[in-house]
Amino acid sequence: MSATLTPRVVVVRRRSELEELLALHGTRAAAEWYLRERGRDLAEVVDRHEALQAALTTVAAAVPADWRRGAVDRDDLPRFLFGPEDVVVAVGPDGLVANVAKYLAGQPVLGVDPEPGRNAGVLVRCAAAQVAALLPAVAAGAAPVRRRCMVRAALDDGQELVGLNEVYVGHTSHQSARYLIGVGEGGRARRERHSSSGVVVGSGTGATGWCASIARDRPGAPRPPAPEEAALCWFVREAWPSPVTGVELVSGRLDGAARLELTAESDGLVVFADGLESDRLALRWGQRVHVGVAPGRLTLVEP
């Protein structure tokens, strides 16, 4: 924490389903009709919204009176400037922690589960009622934390992004992407031209998500890394065999400083992380991207 500035608590949230329905339909009556036509009950949506609001209220009350405060919606994260003295409190599902992690540089994160039992609780490990005791401990550097490795994608022009769960490289519309893939260093590197639905490179945190669904259908899939392990697993989606494209280099692990290199051989390729397609890098024909480990980028506070 900064020696001159009091900590700032930044509460990160996402709109509830009720708020999204009201934005789309205008009134509760219209939202209720919409749900009823699909066999759902508005009462369940309202209950979940109220649980989120209750958690946000508890978190707000837990912030010490002399601390600074900030708040940001998930959709505004690409435009929000986090400071080095910030303590981030993400109130929502596990994926919200992944959404905010890519914009941080080691600031401590408290993941608060507003609906215990509904979320997996892998990243949102705290209850709202625990925040009051945890915040002073975080400021004093006494809170238990775990540092999780992330995935970094770096373009040859200096642009880069990171993801907590995974990075995707492929066509913007998920149609066939053409590229040259390379694994290994120097003269020992293996390379192959591909036409595929893209490449997914996941961390140990993300190994139970998108990568797990791909690995389930892959005999001999690489062993997934542990959440704090400096390693990644990668998968090529639906590689297409042809006279000029292969299907041999379709999965593997990246340990330590190892990197995966992809050179674009078609237009429209993009790189994005953790499902945030709006915050992406564009790859031009012939441009290269290197994907590897970003160690210890997320500092997750333990309850």
Side-chain angles (χ1 to χ4, degrees), residues 160-180:
E160 67 173 49
L161 58 72
V162 294
L164 177 60
N165 287 328
E166 69 274 316
V167 160
Y168 167 84
V169 183
H171 197 277
T172 182
S173 66
H174 296 258
Q175 67 187 43
S176 293
R178 290 182 175 270
Y179 53 87
L180 176 68

Side-chain angles (χ1 to χ4, degrees), residues 159-224:
Q159 297 184 81
E160 67 173 49
L161 58 72
V162 294
L164 177 60
N165 287 328
E166 69 274 316
V167 160
Y168 167 84
V169 183
H171 197 277
T172 182
S173 66
H174 296 258
Q175 67 187 43
S176 293
R178 290 182 175 270
Y179 53 87
L180 176 68
I181 189 170
V183 185
E185 297 292 334
R188 298 195 304 172
R190 300 171 61 199
R191 292 183 172 84
E192 186 173 64
R193 280 189 165 78
H194 281 175
S195 176
S196 80
S197 298
V199 181
V200 178
V201 185
S203 67
T205 300
T208 58
W210 196 357
C211 286
S213 66
I214 300 173
R216 190 172 294 114
D217 298 323
R218 297 285 181 93
R223 176 179 61 83

Side-chain angles (χ1 to χ4, degrees), residues 55 58-59 61-63 89 110-113 116 124-138 143-144 301-303:
T58 300
V59 168
V63 180
V89 183
L110 285 75
V112 174
D113 188 352
V124 286
R125 300 176 57 83
C126 305
Q130 295 175 299
V131 174
L134 284 170
L135 287 178
V138 171
V301 177
E302 294 287 301

